[in-house]
Amino acid sequence: MDSTLIDYIIRLAVSFACGFFLGIERKVRQHTVGIRTLTLICVSSCLLTIASVAIAENSLVEGDPTRIAAAIITGIGFLGAGAIVNQGLNIRGLTSAAIIFTSAALGVACGAKMYVLVGIVLVFSIMLLLIVGKLEKKLFPADKRKLFRIEAKDNWPDEAYIRKLLEEAGVFVLDLNTHFEPESKKVVLIFTGKAPESLDVTGLTKKLAQIQGTTFVSIAN
């Protein structure tokens, strides 16, 4: 078999492995972007890089061979933007979008035979996703925004006590909005806060509902 063809197969194989491992990490965490998506991106980027280098080396066309790599990054930008989803007060998919970009970059590097750098970046990426991700959750457990709505009638709820209940549940209070209707004497307190994934929503709702005068309690994203 031609040595050049073997070289191309090695590049594509390495790019396949990079996309595959990044995809496994995303799928284990139940994200939309998965194995097939990232593997296809990485292998395709590698193939386009191989093609651009081959075209330049064989003088098939005149011009800058790096234009294909630049076009890959531009196209990946649109694909990455599609992975970002706004869910109520929360934004999901930022890390997946970054991984899509990383997968494309690894594919380009594989096509350029930069295997050592590919290995280093792949190891760093996996470390960031697995190890640093867990460390980040331990240091900053409250990362999901929620709205805590408490309504009362004929009685103004104890704001300090509500804050205490929220903080005991692991909620970091960011803001408070109030609403009062003089005719019906209806009072509405809306707390905006960051809550951990382990938040006991049912238990916290019951505690808030037991506050004197409370007529309605809601916890939503």
Side-chain angles (χ1 to χ4, degrees):
M1 187 180 292
D2 186 9
S3 60
T4 302
L5 181 58
I6 295 176
D7 180 41
Y8 289 163
I9 293 174
I10 292 174
R11 300 188 204 185
L12 290 170
V14 174
S15 67
F16 181 93
C18 291
F20 186 82
F21 287 123
L22 290 176
I24 289 177
E25 189 281 333
R26 286 291 85 186
K27 220 51 181 169
V28 167
R29 294 176 179 270
Q30 303 299 321
H31 287 276
T32 305
V33 178
I35 299 173
R36 291 175 297 176
T37 303
L38 292 177
T39 303
L40 285 171
I41 290 171
C42 202
V43 173
S44 300
S45 300
C46 178
L47 178 59
L48 288 171
T49 304
I50 291 174
S52 64
V53 173
I55 290 171
E57 289 179 347
N58 297 323
S59 301
L60 299 178
V61 295
E62 295 182 357
D64 185 1
T66 61
R67 287 184 178 179
I68 292 182
I72 292 172
I73 300 303
T74 302
I76 289 301
F78 288 101
L79 188 59
I84 301 174
V85 180
N86 187 9
Q87 296 182 337
L89 298 176
N90 301 287
I91 298 176
R92 292 180 57 84
L94 289 174
T95 303
S96 292
I99 292 175
I100 288 174
F101 188 84
T102 302
S103 180
L106 289 172
V108 171
C110 288
K113 294 197 297 186
M114 305 171 71
Y115 301 129
V116 175
L117 293 180
V118 167
I120 293 173
V121 173
L122 180 61
V123 171
F124 282 171
S125 299
I126 298 298
M127 287 177 59
L128 281 169
L129 295 170
L130 298 180
I131 301 175
V132 179
K134 292 181 179 179
L135 179 62
E136 185 178 13
K137 284 189 176 182
K138 286 185 177 181
L139 295 177
F140 309 99
D143 61 350
K144 191 172 184 180
R145 285 178 177 265
K146 285 185 175 292
L147 286 179
F148 304 85
R149 183 186 179 99
I150 298 96
E151 296 183 8
K153 192 173 182 180
D154 298 327
N155 184 44
W156 196 277
D158 188 346
E159 178 188 336
Y161 180 66
I162 295 175
R163 284 181 178 271
K164 181 182 177 182
L165 289 178
L166 294 175
E167 291 174 358
E168 288 177 351
V171 178
F172 182 78
V173 179
L174 299 173
D175 195 14
L176 169 63
N177 293 303
T178 62
H179 176 72
F180 176 65
E181 297 178 3
E183 293 183 1
S184 61
K185 295 184 179 180
K186 178 182 177 181
V187 180
V188 180
L189 300 182
I190 302 176
F191 291 84
T192 303
K194 284 190 172 184
E197 293 183 0
S198 59
L199 176 67
D200 182 6
V201 178
T202 303
L204 180 58
T205 302
K206 290 180 179 179
K207 289 181 180 180
L208 293 174
Q210 291 174 356
I211 298 175
Q212 184 178 2
T214 300
T215 59
F216 177 84
V217 175
S218 172
I219 300 177
N221 293 334

